[in-house]
């Protein structure tokens, strides 16, 4: 007779865990006085990011001097950065404005898939851009023939395919979770590792696969970038004139800055969360690579790139 109520409670608990239809995202602060400040801050950062990337897209499409492989990849990267930040920040802004942290199960899975897709595309495109700089410096005479429009489009489609594969693999691993022991996600967006932590059964294998796939999808692009820049540096050091060395390094400066910013914040965030796990770090750390990196990329490329600045000035003069 004592076992019967316990059995009913266990069944009710299992039924409630299985029928999760929504999650609650952890916010930055519960202080009502900080909500307007957070709303204005993230809305401003989002609008500046979109405007900066739109200006780069406008410059790359309207100026015939920028119809080169490097600016074609920069054009695609700007689109990806806009999609990357639009996956997480608008939902966070709406939650702050409405004082609600609820996200449906379907929306959570969709956000997770799109976030992984654009995040992986960021890394693969940075690798493709490193290869472009490698060809431009190592084989300048054969650069137009090697980096043909067909090869550029092929490299972008490979980036899209690899990112889709990575995104769907993460999605498949999370879909195997049939029930959840909690509905509060320790982040301001849905992430595969966060959802696996909420599973009501042991997901050690799934977690290992997620981290393994994440490591591979990060290690291979970083390896390609390191190899490209190793060859670039070895070629530049053989140049006798200091002006030639400066010109070669200046063509890679913006890209290298973005690579260090993107991978530095991402790796630092993951290592910090793994070594010193806490709900506050789970919320604050992702801001660096989900918000700060996309907002700085347009400034890095526009402020350090003479062609982009001159193109924007020409557009401004034609407009006025």
């Amino acid at each position: 007779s004592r076992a019967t109520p316990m059995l009913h409670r266990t069944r009710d608990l299992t039924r409630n865990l299985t029928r999760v239809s929504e999650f609650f995202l952890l916010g930055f602060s519960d202080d009502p006085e900080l909500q307007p400040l957070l709303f204005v801050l993230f809305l401003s950062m989002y609008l500046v990011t979109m405007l900066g990337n739109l200006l780069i897209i406008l410059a790359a499409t309207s100026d015939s001097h920028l119809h080169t492989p490097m600016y074609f990849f920069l054009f695609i990267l700007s689109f990806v950065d806009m999609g990357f930040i639009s996956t997480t920040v608008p939902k966070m802004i709406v939650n702050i404005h409405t004082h609600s942290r609820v996200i449906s199960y379907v929306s959570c899975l969709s956000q997770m898939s799109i976030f992984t897709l654009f995040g992986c595309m960021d890394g693969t495109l940075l690798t493709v851009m490193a290869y472009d700089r490698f060809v431009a410096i190592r084989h300048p005479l054969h650069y137009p023939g090697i980096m043909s429009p067909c090869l550029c489009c092929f490299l972008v489609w490979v980036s899209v395919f690899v990112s889709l594969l990575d995104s769907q693999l993460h999605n498949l691993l999370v879909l195997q979770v049939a029930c959840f022991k909690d509905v509060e996600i320790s982040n301001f967006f849905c992430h595969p590792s966060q959802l696996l932590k909420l599973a009501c059964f042991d997901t050690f294998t799934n977690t290992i696969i997620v981290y393994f796939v994440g490591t591979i999808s990060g290690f291979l692009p970083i390896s390609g970038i390191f190899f490209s820049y190793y060859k670039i540096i070895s070629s530049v050091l053989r140049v006798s004139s200091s002006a030639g060395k400066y010109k070669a390094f200046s063509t890679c400066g913006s890209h290298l800055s973005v690579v260090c910013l993107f991978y530095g914040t991402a790796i630092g965030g993951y290592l910090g969360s793994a070594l010193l796990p806490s709900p506050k770090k789970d919320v604050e750390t992702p801001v660096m690579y989900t918000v700060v990196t996309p907002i700085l990329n347009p400034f890095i490329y526009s402020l350090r790139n003479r062609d982009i600045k001159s193109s924007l000035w020409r557009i401004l003069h034609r407009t006025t």
Side-chain angles (χ1 to χ4, degrees):
S1 60
R2 291 181 179 177
T4 302
M6 180 64 70
L7 181 61
H8 285 307
R9 284 198 296 270
T10 304
R11 287 176 178 173
D12 292 339
L13 180 60
T14 304
R15 189 180 300 114
N16 291 334
L17 289 170
T18 306
R19 293 182 179 178
V20 169
S21 59
E22 59 187 23
F23 294 98
F24 293 91
L25 301 171
L26 190 63
F28 286 91
S29 174
D30 293 326
D31 188 355
E33 296 181 357
L34 285 178
Q35 301 308 307
L37 177 62
L38 292 173
F39 176 81
V40 173
L41 174 64
F42 285 106
L43 179 61
S44 303
M45 295 175 74
Y46 177 71
L47 293 177
V48 169
T49 303
M50 299 298 286
L51 178 61
N53 283 290
L54 283 173
L55 288 175
I56 290 181
I57 291 172
L58 178 63
T61 52
S62 61
D63 195 337
S64 59
H65 297 90
L66 303 184
H67 293 173
T68 61
M70 183 178 71
Y71 293 106
F72 170 71
F73 295 132
L74 181 58
F75 167 82
I76 302 295
L77 183 66
S78 296
F79 266 116
V80 172
D81 279 340
M82 289 169 65
F84 188 58
I85 194 172
S86 296
T87 307
T88 57
V89 175
K91 175 62 179 174
M92 178 177 60
I93 293 172
V94 171
N95 288 351
I96 294 173
H97 180 66
T98 59
H99 305 287
S100 172
R101 300 176 184 175
V102 177
I103 183 170
S104 66
Y105 178 76
V106 175
S107 299
C108 186
L109 290 181
S110 302
Q111 187 185 60
M112 179 194 68
S113 300
I114 299 172
F115 173 81
T116 308
L117 171 67
F118 283 122
C120 187
M121 278 194 70
D122 247 324
T124 52
L125 281 173
L126 289 175
T127 308
V128 169
M129 294 173 74
Y131 173 72
D132 172 74
R133 294 297 84 204
F134 160 74
V135 175
I137 293 175
R138 292 275 293 191
H139 309 284
L141 298 178
H142 302 283
Y143 177 75
I146 296 174
M147 299 303 296
S148 62
C150 291
L151 179 62
C152 293
C153 293
F154 173 75
L155 291 174
V156 170
W157 281 115
V158 168
S159 174
V160 172
F161 175 76
V162 171
S163 303
L164 276 172
L165 187 64
D166 181 57
S167 173
Q168 292 309 306
L169 182 58
H170 280 88
N171 206 16
L172 181 63
L173 291 171
V174 173
L175 283 173
Q176 293 179 0
V177 179
C179 61
F180 299 89
K181 61 186 176 184
D182 196 1
V183 293
E184 186 170 284
I185 298 174
S186 299
N187 211 326
F188 63 90
F189 65 95
C190 293
H191 194 274
S193 61
Q194 295 290 338
L195 290 176
L196 290 175
K197 287 180 183 178
L198 301 180
C200 60
F201 58 87
D202 186 18
T203 58
F204 179 77
T205 304
N206 291 25
T207 304
I208 290 296
I209 294 174
V210 165
Y211 279 104
F212 176 76
V213 172
T215 303
I216 293 297
S217 61
F219 175 77
L220 291 180
I222 291 176
S223 301
I225 292 171
F226 269 117
F227 177 77
S228 297
Y229 274 101
Y230 166 74
K231 292 294 185 180
I232 289 172
I233 293 172
S234 63
S235 297
V236 172
L237 291 178
R238 288 198 293 266
V239 177
S240 57
S241 66
S242 57
K245 291 180 180 179
Y246 175 79
K247 183 178 179 181
F249 277 123
S250 64
T251 61
C252 305
S254 299
H255 175 259
L256 194 57
S257 301
V258 171
V259 168
C260 294
L261 181 65
F262 178 76
Y263 282 106
T265 53
I267 294 173
Y270 276 111
L271 289 178
S273 299
L275 296 176
L276 298 171
S278 68
K280 189 176 181 180
K281 276 187 173 294
D282 289 340
V283 176
E284 294 175 353
T285 303
V287 174
M288 291 301 298
Y289 61 88
T290 58
V291 182
V292 176
T293 301
I295 197 176
L296 290 180
N297 284 357
F299 290 101
I300 292 173
Y301 277 111
S302 60
L303 294 177
R304 293 178 58 89
N305 193 302
R306 189 176 302 171
D307 294 333
I308 291 286
K309 287 191 289 186
S310 59
S311 175
L312 290 175
W313 275 115
R314 283 194 293 270
I315 294 172
L316 179 62
H317 284 308
R318 284 201 303 264
T319 305
T320 54

